[in-house]
Amino acid sequence: MGNTGPGNSESTLTLTTPIQYLPGIGPARAAKLRKLGLRIARDFLFLFPRNHTFPPPPTRVADLQEGEPATFIGTITDAELISRTPGKSLFAAIVENESGAVRIVFFNQPFRAEQLTFDTRVRISGSPKLAGLRWEFTHPNYEIIQEDELQEQDDGGLILANYPLTEGIKQSDLRRLARPLIEELAGQLPEVLPERLRRDAAERLKRTGMELPDALPEIGESLRGIHLPESEADLRAAQTRLVFQELLVMQLALAMRRRSLTSELRAPSLECSATVRNRILRRFPFDLTGDQRRVMDVIAADMARQYPMNRLLQGDVGSGKTVVAIFAMLVAVAGGYQATLMAPTEVLARQHHATLTKMLADSRVRIGLLCGSLTAAERRDTIAKIKSGELDLIIGTQALVYGVQFHQLGLCVIDEQHKFGVKQRVTLRDGGIDPHYLVMSATPIPRSVAMTQFGDVDLSTLREKPAGRGAVHTYLAGDSWRDRWWTFVRQRVAEGRQAFVVAPRVGPEVEAADEELSELVDATEPPAEDITSVHATYEKLRTGPLKDLRVGLLHGRMASDEKQRVMELFAEGELDVLVSTTVIEVGIDVPNATVMAILGGNRFGLAQLHQLRGRVSRGKHAGHVCVFVDGDGPPEEDERLKVFEQTLDGFELAEADYRLRGPGDVLGQRQSGGAKLRIADLHRDMEILQVAREMAQDWIDRDPEMESEGLELLKSQVLRRYGNHLDLGDGA
Ligand code: ADP
Ligand code: MG
C-alpha cells in the first residue's frame, strides 16, 4: 500500500472526492460500496467499525513453560557482551515488561550486541528454559520493534477494525482504504465540539469511573483512533468521543424541544402551601414511603410553574402510585381547578372512584364518574356538570374523558399507560390553557429508553414498596401439577383467602376480538386447546376440582355492569375464586386475594406476568403464583420464565426482558426521536448517555438557542439530524 501513502504528490484526495476515485476502488467497487452508504471520501470516515479484533495479549513471564514455544515482548534493560574471546564469546541481555524479566543469550554472535542495545524494544520468540530462577531464551528469533512500527505494520500486534460489509467487498478492502483516507482527510474535518465541552465531558465521564484523557480527543484524532487504533486506551477515547457526540446531539435536540414546548404552552400555576399539603397528607391512612414523599414534592414544584408538568410516574405494581395521583389532584382542587383521573378500563375507573369517594367522604370535594355503563341521562348530566364546574374530580375511562369539555382543568392524570410516549391531549376550550399532565405506568421503562424516547418527559420512579407487604412465591409448573394446585387453592380458601385463575384467551364462544385482550394476546397464536380458554376453565373448575367453592368469571367481552358486579363480589369476598382473562392485569386491588394460577404462562410477556403477579402481593399475607406452562413444564431454554421465577423487581425484569429480546425489539429504528444511531449503543453506552443528557440540559437551560460562541457547528448538526423529527424548525 506504500504507493498511496501520505506525501504522495499525485494525491488529490479531498473530503468530497467520489468514492470511485479512491485508491484501489474504481467504478465496480464503488457501486458496491454505495450499498454501505459510501458516496464520497468523507462517508468512509464515518463508516464506523462494528467492532475491533484485538491481538492476543503478549505472553507474561508467569505463563512461560519449559520448552514451550512462546513470544515475549519487552524492553532491554541490561545488555552485556560477557566474553569477547573468538570462539567463546557470550552475549546476554535482560528483556523486561510489566510481567517480569527474561534473559536472552547468544553464543559466538558478538554482533548481536550492536542491535540489542539498552532500551530497545524487542519481540523475541523461542522455547525458554528455566536457568536458576530466570527464564532463559537461547538464540531466540527476535525482531526490533521500531518506534513507528505500529504505523507501518498491517497486522500482528495491531488492533484491527471490522467494518460492516456488503456483497463483493472484503474486510481487507476497507482496511486498506482506512490509512490513506485517515492520514490525508481526518485533519480537514471541522471540529464540532469546542475544547471546553470536550474537557467538561471527559471530566464528568471520568467521575463514572471511565479512564480517559483530560479532554475527549478532537474529531480527527478520534476518527484515526476508531479506524486505526494504536492501543486500547486510544480506541476507547476515540469511541467515547464519537459516541458522546452522537448522544449529545440527540439530547440537545430533545432538550431544545422540551424547551420550546414549555415556552409555548401555558398552564395554571398551582402553588401548594404547607397547610394545604398537610391537610392532604392527613387523609392518607398510612405513612407514606420516602419515595412517595419525594415524588409528591417534585410534583408540587412542577405544578407551581406556569407551563404544563409533563411527568411520567413509574412504579412497580403495588408501589402506591394512586396515592401520589390523589395528592396531585387535591393540589389542583385546592387551587380552584378541576382534576381528572383516567383509567384504561371501566373496572379500574370504578375502583379509583370508590377509593376516592371513601377517602374524601367528609370533604367538600365533588367527585364525578364518567364511564360506559352510565345511562344516557346520567352521562349527559355528568358532562354538563364537568362543563359548568360543579364537579371537582372526574374519574373515568380514557375513551370518555378525552373529548369532554371541562370548566377549568388543572391536572390530567392518566393511569396505567403502557405505551410509551403515546399521549393524547385533552380537549381545551378555545384559547384555554393546558392542564398539567401526570402519566402513571407500572411497566418500567428501561433507563436507556426513558432517556431517549422520553427525552421531553420528566421521569419519576417509586422503587420503595410500602411496608408490611407479604412475600410472593413464584412456581413454574407443567400440567401434572394442576391437581396439587387446586388442593392448595382449597386450603388457602379455607383459611379465608381468595384466588385468581388467569387464562390466556376467551373461549370460542366469544369469537370477536376482545378489545382489552386484542393487544395483549398474540393473534397469530394457534387456536388453543379448551384447557386455556377462560370459559372452559371456568366450567371445568366450577364443576370439578373447585365445585364446593364460589367461583366467578370475568372477561373483557362481558357487559360492563356485569363485569362490575363480578368485581365487586370478588372485592367484597363474596367469591372465593375469580377465573379471568388479563382484564385483571391492570390495577385491580383486592389485598385478600393471595393465590394465582396463570394458565398458558408461556404465552404471556414478562411485563404482563409481572403485572399479574402484582395482584397477589398487595396484602399482609404471602402471595403464591403458579405459572402453568402448556405441556409438561417449562422447557429448559425458556429463560424468560426462569427470570420471572427468580426476579421480583419489576425494573430488573424490564431490563432482562430488554436484554433477552434484544434492543432491536424495544427500540428498533424508532429510537432517539427518529434518527438512527450510527455508533452509540444505548445499552452499552448508558453512562455516556447520562452525561450527554445532563450536559445538554444544563446547556439549553443556560443558552436555549445555542447562541454562544463556538457552538455554531454543533447547533447546525442538531438541526440537520433532528430538525424534522422534532419540529425544531427548519433542518438547516
Ligand atoms: P399501584 O402503584 O400499583 O397503582 P396502588 O396505588 O394501587 O399501587 O397501591 C397499592 C395498595 O397499597 C393500595 O391498597 C394502597 O392503599 C396501599 N398503599 C399505598 N401507599 C401505601 C403506603 N405508603 N403504606 C401502606 N399502604 C400503601
Ligand atoms: Mg395503580
Side-chain angles (χ1 to χ4, degrees):
M1 60 176 216
N3 60 340
T4 56
N8 180 345
S9 57
E10 288 161 21
S11 167
T12 51
L13 269 186
T14 67
L15 288 168
T16 54
T17 301
I19 208 90
Q20 77 173 91
Y21 301 123
L22 297 183
I25 297 299
R29 281 206 178 138
K32 291 173 183 153
L33 287 171
R34 265 193 284 277
K35 296 212 187 88
L36 291 173
L38 304 183
R39 290 180 326 280
I40 55 173
R42 185 184 187 283
D43 297 333
F44 180 82
L45 300 182
F46 293 93
L47 178 73
F48 295 123
R50 283 181 286 111
N51 53 36
H52 294 80
T53 301
F54 292 88
T59 311
R60 303 166 47 80
V61 168
D63 298 334
L64 294 173
Q65 290 186 31
E66 186 87 26
E68 286 291 315
T71 297
F72 188 85
I73 298 172
T75 304
I76 296 184
T77 54
D78 195 9
E80 194 181 0
L81 193 52
I82 293 167
S83 156
R84 295 172 182 276
T85 319
K88 283 189 197 161
S89 89
L90 171 63
F91 170 75
I94 300 294
V95 181
E96 207 172 315
N97 68 17
E98 315 77 54
S99 74
V102 300
R103 193 166 119 112
I104 54 177
V105 293
F106 292 91
F107 297 100
N108 295 321
Q109 297 183 359
F111 60 90
R112 301 290 179 197
E114 282 152 43
Q115 287 183 332
L116 298 169
T117 52
F118 181 76
D119 225 19
T120 304
R121 264 177 78 70
V122 285
R123 177 186 294 117
I124 55 176
S125 45
S127 301
K129 60 182 193 308
L130 210 48
L133 289 175
R134 223 196 261 300
W135 289 99
E136 196 169 87
F137 289 76
T138 306
H139 290 203
N141 290 323
Y142 67 87
E143 279 171 85
I144 307 286
I145 301 174
Q146 305 290 345
E147 274 284 286
D148 58 350
E149 177 185 8
L150 294 167
Q151 311 287 325
E152 306 270 295
Q153 223 181 357
D154 229 338
D155 58 356
L158 272 195
I159 301 173
L160 296 176
N162 297 315
Y163 292 97
L165 295 179
T166 184
E167 201 170 328
I169 296 294
K170 292 196 298 290
Q171 205 52 262
S172 56
D173 296 331
L174 294 172
R175 285 181 187 159
R176 244 194 317 276
L177 214 45
R179 190 166 303 279
L181 291 193
I182 293 293
E183 279 171 0
E184 298 213 16
L185 302 179
Q188 296 179 25
L189 284 165
E191 178 57 86
V192 170
L193 302 180
E195 170 156 10
R196 64 180 190 285
L197 220 150
R198 283 184 284 116
R199 281 192 178 279
D200 187 9
E203 208 168 283
R204 295 184 195 225
L205 287 166
K206 285 206 265 189
R207 267 183 247 138
T208 72
M210 292 176 78
E211 283 174 43
L212 288 172
D214 288 340
L216 295 180
E218 297 180 323
I219 184 65
E221 181 59 17
S222 304
L223 290 172
R224 189 200 50 68
I226 194 98
H227 289 284
L228 305 165
E230 283 174 8
S231 66
E232 246 182 287
D234 185 32
L235 171 59
R236 187 169 49 231
Q239 174 151 338
T240 304
R241 181 233 144 95
L242 295 166
V243 167
F244 172 76
Q245 179 175 344
E246 186 166 52
L247 295 176
L248 179 71
V249 166
M250 176 218 284
Q251 292 298 326
L252 282 167
L254 291 168
M256 284 170 91
R257 177 175 148 83
R258 174 209 301 255
R259 181 85 196 187
S260 77
L261 286 180
T262 55
S263 65
E264 280 162 21
L265 298 178
R266 283 279 156 268
S269 162
L270 299 164
E271 303 265 2
C272 171
S273 67
T275 327
V276 169
R277 186 190 145 92
N278 291 335
R279 213 166 60 214
I280 297 173
L281 296 191
R282 268 204 305 277
R283 296 205 163 262
F284 300 135
F286 35 63
D287 290 333
L288 297 172
T289 65
D291 276 355
Q292 283 172 326
R293 286 178 182 279
R294 190 177 45 76
V295 174
M296 285 176 188
D297 286 344
V298 170
I299 288 176
D302 282 355
M303 290 176 63
R305 296 205 188 94
Q306 286 165 4
Y307 54 85
M309 164 170 76
N310 201 14
R311 185 166 291 279
L312 174 73
L313 174 59
Q314 59 174 0
D316 217 340
V317 278
S319 57
K321 296 183 291 294
T322 313
V323 172
V324 175
I326 294 173
F327 170 82
M329 291 192 289
L330 293 179
V331 169
V333 174
Y337 280 77
Q338 293 170 303
T340 180
L341 170 57
M342 298 187 231
T345 63
E346 170 140 3
V347 170
L348 203 51
R350 283 184 175 274
Q351 182 181 289
H352 282 316
H353 182 253
T355 307
L356 276 150
T357 305
K358 206 163 107 196
M359 195 173 281
L360 302 174
D362 57 346
S363 77
R364 288 196 303 267
V365 179
R366 297 157 301 176
I367 308 175
L369 174 66
L370 194 58
C371 61
S373 57
L374 300 185
T375 64
E378 285 170 331
R379 196 190 298 190
R380 255 198 318 275
D381 180 52
T382 305
I383 289 174
K385 284 180 170 157
I386 295 173
K387 191 172 178 183
S388 66
E390 289 166 74
L391 287 174
D392 305 305
L393 289 185
I394 296 91
I395 321 297
T397 54
Q398 286 174 22
L400 290 173
V401 176
Y402 285 123
V404 168
Q405 276 203 2
F406 288 85
H407 175 63
Q408 231 187 3
L409 184 61
L411 172 71
C412 179
V413 182
I414 304 163
D415 193 19
E416 301 293 352
Q417 178 92 8
H418 296 282
K419 292 203 199 84
F420 309 157
V422 188
K423 197 188 73 188
Q424 231 172 310
R425 295 200 157 272
V426 289
T427 315
L428 296 170
R429 280 179 309 171
D430 288 343
I433 56 176
D434 271 275
H436 296 283
Y437 282 92
L438 178 64
V439 178
M440 305 200 289
S441 174
T443 308
I445 294 140
R447 219 152 58 90
S448 48
V449 181
M451 282 197 280
T452 49
Q453 297 253 326
F454 278 94
D456 58 353
V457 173
D458 294 307
L459 185 68
S460 291
T461 303
L462 296 181
R463 272 189 175 270
E464 210 178 323
K465 289 259 165 84
R469 288 287 153 81
V472 196
H473 305 281
T474 306
Y475 318 91
L476 298 184
D479 289 336
S480 56
W481 247 60
R482 284 181 197 245
D483 289 343
R484 254 189 282 176
W485 183 257
W486 305 133
T487 306
F488 180 73
V489 168
R490 284 197 307 269
Q491 286 165 356
R492 294 285 89 78
V493 169
E495 289 168 9
R497 305 284 83 74
Q498 290 165 282
F500 290 109
V501 178
V502 183
R505 54 190 295 274
V506 289
E509 303 87 332
V510 187
E511 264 311 309
D514 177 332
E515 80 242 75
E516 277 152 337
L517 272 178
S518 54
E519 62 178 77
L520 303 173
V521 174
D522 191 353
T524 62
E525 202 68 61
E529 290 171 35
D530 253 358
I531 201 157
T532 51
S533 105
V534 73
H535 293 91
T537 306
Y538 171 66
E539 285 306 327
K540 206 175 260 178
L541 290 176
R542 196 166 68 96
T543 56
L546 304 180
K547 64 173 178 297
D548 40 350
L549 305 184
R550 297 164 300 170
V551 182
L553 173 67
L554 182 72
H555 62 79
R557 296 299 292 179
M558 286 161 45
S560 67
D561 52 345
E562 180 69 1
K563 269 193 280 193
Q564 190 50 38
R565 202 181 53 82
V566 173
M567 261 326 294
E568 273 163 16
L569 286 177
F570 190 65
E572 285 157 14
E574 297 295 322
L575 288 174
D576 302 312
V577 178
L578 187 61
V579 180
S580 142
T581 57
T582 49
V583 210
I584 59 148
E585 179 193 9
V586 269
I588 302 294
D589 189 19
V590 181
N592 191 46
T594 59
V595 184
M596 173 181 284
I598 302 174
L599 308 183
N602 45 316
R603 299 183 218 179
F604 293 94
L606 259 185
Q608 210 180 358
L609 287 171
H610 183 64
Q611 278 276 329
L612 288 168
R613 179 165 59 188
R615 301 303 120 221
V616 293
S617 53
R618 304 177 81 83
K620 52 186 185 299
H621 303 283
H624 299 270
V625 177
C626 187
V627 180
F628 286 95
V629 178
D630 299 339
D632 295 334
E636 273 308 300
E637 69 275 15
D638 201 334
E639 185 158 355
R640 223 166 37 90
L641 289 178
K642 297 238 170 69
V643 168
F644 177 67
E645 185 188 19
Q646 285 155 20
T647 314
L648 282 175
D649 183 303
F651 290 88
E652 262 178 61
L653 279 177
E655 292 291 344
D657 200 21
Y658 181 45
R659 179 169 50 77
L660 291 172
R661 284 192 290 166
D665 203 359
V666 178
L667 288 170
Q669 300 300 309
R670 292 169 290 126
Q671 65 200 0
S672 66
K676 198 172 155 189
L677 295 175
R678 312 176 71 167
I679 188 164
D681 170 334
L682 296 180
H683 219 43
R684 178 195 66 194
D685 299 321
M686 201 59 179
E687 249 102 36
I688 307 180
L689 176 59
Q690 180 72 46
V691 167
R693 181 172 172 84
E694 281 163 23
M695 283 179 63
Q697 280 174 358
D698 288 356
W699 204 285
I700 298 301
D701 280 348
R702 279 198 314 266
D703 176 13
E705 299 293 324
M706 290 179 70
E707 284 163 338
S708 29
E709 213 185 311
L711 290 191
E712 302 79 7
L713 289 172
L714 183 56
K715 179 176 180 178
S716 70
Q717 194 165 103
V718 172
L719 292 178
R720 205 168 48 238
R721 290 211 79 186
Y722 291 94
N724 295 330
H725 294 306
L726 299 181
D727 291 334
L728 287 177
D730 54 17

